[in-house]
Amino acid sequence: MDTLFDAEPDERAPEEIAPGSHWVPGWLDAAGQRWLVARFHEWVAGPVPPRGAKVRGHEMSVKTVCLGWHWRPYEYTRTAVDVNGRRVLDVPDWMVRLGRKALAAAGWEDDVVAAYTPDAVLVNWYDVDARMGMHQDKDEDSLAPVVSLSIGDACTFRFGNTETRTRPYRDIRLESGDLFVFGGPSRLAYHGVPKIFPHTAPADCGLPGGRINLTLRMTGLTDAPTIRHR
Ligand SMILES: O=C(O)CCC(=O)C(=O)O
């Protein structure tokens, strides 16, 4: 017999959203979130300021600052060629360790975890009106998993299929501290952020409002060798 007080399914339990994609709610504790927010303030101070990348001539509402490699649509470069020409900051060693811990928490095999060496981090800043359209992360030569961390206001994260930017997709509410990893058969799934929920950042996350998202990636790129002319 059903009772009046049946347990609701836990909507924030870790879940495999599709083969190769894992959502781990609340993975990063409040101290870790505050620490990353402090790093965020350092990164946005330069040498390259955050900017909305131009996609087919339209500036994105999300502002991005990059580590390791500078991303703009279809290309990674060491210098921010579409901003101020400066070289971006390096990916710190602790970020590589963080990425490996995240992969392990998402259930990836030990050999994938050990080999994971993200060499590019896209640090995205969303104000309450910012959105990110459905897209694939396919400017990398490597198909290593992408690690995504969220801090601040909650958002709707739309995670779809590898064929089309339309349905079927699943809308997930990502909250501060949530981890999402997508790799394997999900690596090239379309995904986007159609909505930010204002005033939902927890008081102890270090961010009064807005949302920071970090995506850690392996580009598979190497620096072109320098050709010396005598
Ligand atoms: O903000 C997010 O959760 C997603 C970010 C994203 O899709 C990207 O940087 O390519």
PDB file of all heavy atoms in Angstrom, residues 179-192:
ATOM      1  N   LEU A 179      29.491  18.907 -10.355  1.00  0.00           N
ATOM      2  CA  LEU A 179      30.450  18.440 -11.369  1.00  0.00           C
ATOM      3  C   LEU A 179      29.673  17.743 -12.475  1.00  0.00           C
ATOM      4  O   LEU A 179      28.722  16.999 -12.198  1.00  0.00           O
ATOM      5  CB  LEU A 179      31.411  17.441 -10.698  1.00  0.00           C
ATOM      6  CG  LEU A 179      32.250  16.538 -11.607  1.00  0.00           C
ATOM      7  CD1 LEU A 179      33.278  17.355 -12.375  1.00  0.00           C
ATOM      8  CD2 LEU A 179      32.950  15.456 -10.760  1.00  0.00           C
ATOM      9  N   PHE A 180      30.074  18.001 -13.699  1.00  0.00           N
ATOM     10  CA  PHE A 180      29.505  17.268 -14.834  1.00  0.00           C
ATOM     11  C   PHE A 180      30.682  16.869 -15.715  1.00  0.00           C
ATOM     12  O   PHE A 180      31.532  17.698 -16.027  1.00  0.00           O
ATOM     13  CB  PHE A 180      28.520  18.151 -15.617  1.00  0.00           C
ATOM     14  CG  PHE A 180      27.622  17.375 -16.529  1.00  0.00           C
ATOM     15  CD1 PHE A 180      26.369  16.956 -16.094  1.00  0.00           C
ATOM     16  CD2 PHE A 180      28.039  17.019 -17.806  1.00  0.00           C
ATOM     17  CE1 PHE A 180      25.539  16.208 -16.929  1.00  0.00           C
ATOM     18  CE2 PHE A 180      27.223  16.278 -18.640  1.00  0.00           C
ATOM     19  CZ  PHE A 180      25.960  15.875 -18.202  1.00  0.00           C
ATOM     20  N   VAL A 181      30.749  15.606 -16.078  1.00  0.00           N
ATOM     21  CA  VAL A 181      31.840  15.120 -16.936  1.00  0.00           C
ATOM     22  C   VAL A 181      31.217  14.453 -18.150  1.00  0.00           C
ATOM     23  O   VAL A 181      30.297  13.639 -18.001  1.00  0.00           O
ATOM     24  CB  VAL A 181      32.720  14.097 -16.182  1.00  0.00           C
ATOM     25  CG1 VAL A 181      33.824  13.569 -17.098  1.00  0.00           C
ATOM     26  CG2 VAL A 181      33.338  14.729 -14.932  1.00  0.00           C
ATOM     27  N   PHE A 182      31.707  14.805 -19.333  1.00  0.00           N
ATOM     28  CA  PHE A 182      31.211  14.078 -20.508  1.00  0.00           C
ATOM     29  C   PHE A 182      32.379  13.650 -21.388  1.00  0.00           C
ATOM     30  O   PHE A 182      33.265  14.417 -21.710  1.00  0.00           O
ATOM     31  CB  PHE A 182      30.144  14.852 -21.287  1.00  0.00           C
ATOM     32  CG  PHE A 182      30.508  16.251 -21.706  1.00  0.00           C
ATOM     33  CD1 PHE A 182      30.898  16.513 -23.015  1.00  0.00           C
ATOM     34  CD2 PHE A 182      30.440  17.312 -20.813  1.00  0.00           C
ATOM     35  CE1 PHE A 182      31.210  17.791 -23.434  1.00  0.00           C
ATOM     36  CE2 PHE A 182      30.761  18.604 -21.209  1.00  0.00           C
ATOM     37  CZ  PHE A 182      31.142  18.840 -22.511  1.00  0.00           C
ATOM     38  N   GLY A 183      32.349  12.355 -21.708  1.00  0.00           N
ATOM     39  CA  GLY A 183      33.410  11.766 -22.522  1.00  0.00           C
ATOM     40  C   GLY A 183      32.867  10.533 -23.219  1.00  0.00           C
ATOM     41  O   GLY A 183      31.649  10.308 -23.244  1.00  0.00           O
ATOM     42  N   GLY A 184      33.770   9.740 -23.781  1.00  0.00           N
ATOM     43  CA  GLY A 184      33.350   8.507 -24.451  1.00  0.00           C
ATOM     44  C   GLY A 184      32.265   8.785 -25.475  1.00  0.00           C
ATOM     45  O   GLY A 184      32.364   9.739 -26.256  1.00  0.00           O
ATOM     46  N   PRO A 185      31.181   7.993 -25.459  1.00  0.00           N
ATOM     47  CA  PRO A 185      30.125   8.172 -26.474  1.00  0.00           C
ATOM     48  C   PRO A 185      29.393   9.508 -26.348  1.00  0.00           C
ATOM     49  O   PRO A 185      28.679   9.906 -27.266  1.00  0.00           O
ATOM     50  CB  PRO A 185      29.153   7.014 -26.193  1.00  0.00           C
ATOM     51  CG  PRO A 185      29.698   6.216 -25.072  1.00  0.00           C
ATOM     52  CD  PRO A 185      30.952   6.845 -24.559  1.00  0.00           C
ATOM     53  N   SER A 186      29.568  10.212 -25.211  1.00  0.00           N
ATOM     54  CA  SER A 186      28.902  11.515 -25.017  1.00  0.00           C
ATOM     55  C   SER A 186      29.813  12.698 -25.315  1.00  0.00           C
ATOM     56  O   SER A 186      29.391  13.847 -25.200  1.00  0.00           O
ATOM     57  CB  SER A 186      28.445  11.670 -23.561  1.00  0.00           C
ATOM     58  OG  SER A 186      27.327  10.882 -23.299  1.00  0.00           O
ATOM     59  N   ARG A 187      31.075  12.426 -25.665  1.00  0.00           N
ATOM     60  CA  ARG A 187      32.045  13.521 -25.756  1.00  0.00           C
ATOM     61  C   ARG A 187      31.596  14.616 -26.716  1.00  0.00           C
ATOM     62  O   ARG A 187      31.860  15.800 -26.489  1.00  0.00           O
ATOM     63  CB  ARG A 187      33.414  12.947 -26.161  1.00  0.00           C
ATOM     64  CG  ARG A 187      34.527  13.955 -26.404  1.00  0.00           C
ATOM     65  CD  ARG A 187      34.830  14.804 -25.192  1.00  0.00           C
ATOM     66  NE  ARG A 187      35.893  15.753 -25.450  1.00  0.00           N
ATOM     67  CZ  ARG A 187      35.736  16.880 -26.131  1.00  0.00           C
ATOM     68  NH1 ARG A 187      34.540  17.210 -26.622  1.00  0.00           N
ATOM     69  NH2 ARG A 187      36.759  17.695 -26.315  1.00  0.00           N
ATOM     70  N   LEU A 188      30.941  14.227 -27.801  1.00  0.00           N
ATOM     71  CA  LEU A 188      30.548  15.235 -28.793  1.00  0.00           C
ATOM     72  C   LEU A 188      29.049  15.552 -28.735  1.00  0.00           C
ATOM     73  O   LEU A 188      28.455  16.015 -29.714  1.00  0.00           O
ATOM     74  CB  LEU A 188      30.968  14.790 -30.196  1.00  0.00           C
ATOM     75  CG  LEU A 188      32.494  14.719 -30.409  1.00  0.00           C
ATOM     76  CD1 LEU A 188      32.821  14.220 -31.820  1.00  0.00           C
ATOM     77  CD2 LEU A 188      33.151  16.085 -30.178  1.00  0.00           C
ATOM     78  N   ALA A 189      28.454  15.326 -27.577  1.00  0.00           N
ATOM     79  CA  ALA A 189      27.027  15.656 -27.420  1.00  0.00           C
ATOM     80  C   ALA A 189      26.833  17.179 -27.437  1.00  0.00           C
ATOM     81  O   ALA A 189      27.654  17.923 -26.883  1.00  0.00           O
ATOM     82  CB  ALA A 189      26.492  15.076 -26.113  1.00  0.00           C
ATOM     83  N   TYR A 190      25.761  17.596 -28.068  1.00  0.00           N
ATOM     84  CA  TYR A 190      25.397  19.022 -28.011  1.00  0.00           C
ATOM     85  C   TYR A 190      24.963  19.370 -26.584  1.00  0.00           C
ATOM     86  O   TYR A 190      24.316  18.561 -25.907  1.00  0.00           O
ATOM     87  CB  TYR A 190      24.236  19.312 -28.970  1.00  0.00           C
ATOM     88  CG  TYR A 190      24.657  19.417 -30.408  1.00  0.00           C
ATOM     89  CD1 TYR A 190      24.707  18.289 -31.225  1.00  0.00           C
ATOM     90  CD2 TYR A 190      25.011  20.645 -30.958  1.00  0.00           C
ATOM     91  CE1 TYR A 190      25.093  18.378 -32.562  1.00  0.00           C
ATOM     92  CE2 TYR A 190      25.398  20.746 -32.296  1.00  0.00           C
ATOM     93  CZ  TYR A 190      25.440  19.616 -33.085  1.00  0.00           C
ATOM     94  OH  TYR A 190      25.836  19.711 -34.397  1.00  0.00           O
ATOM     95  N   HIS A 191      25.324  20.575 -26.151  1.00  0.00           N
ATOM     96  CA  HIS A 191      24.936  21.006 -24.815  1.00  0.00           C
ATOM     97  C   HIS A 191      24.889  22.538 -24.784  1.00  0.00           C
ATOM     98  O   HIS A 191      25.487  23.194 -25.650  1.00  0.00           O
ATOM     99  CB  HIS A 191      25.912  20.462 -23.760  1.00  0.00           C
ATOM    100  CG  HIS A 191      27.330  20.857 -24.000  1.00  0.00           C
ATOM    101  ND1 HIS A 191      28.141  20.232 -24.938  1.00  0.00           N
ATOM    102  CD2 HIS A 191      28.095  21.834 -23.464  1.00  0.00           C
ATOM    103  CE1 HIS A 191      29.334  20.804 -24.945  1.00  0.00           C
ATOM    104  NE2 HIS A 191      29.328  21.784 -24.054  1.00  0.00           N
ATOM    105  N   GLY A 192      24.203  23.077 -23.796  1.00  0.00           N
ATOM    106  CA  GLY A 192      24.098  24.534 -23.693  1.00  0.00           C
ATOM    107  C   GLY A 192      23.484  24.929 -22.364  1.00  0.00           C
ATOM    108  O   GLY A 192      23.134  24.081 -21.536  1.00  0.00           O
TER     109      GLY A 192
END
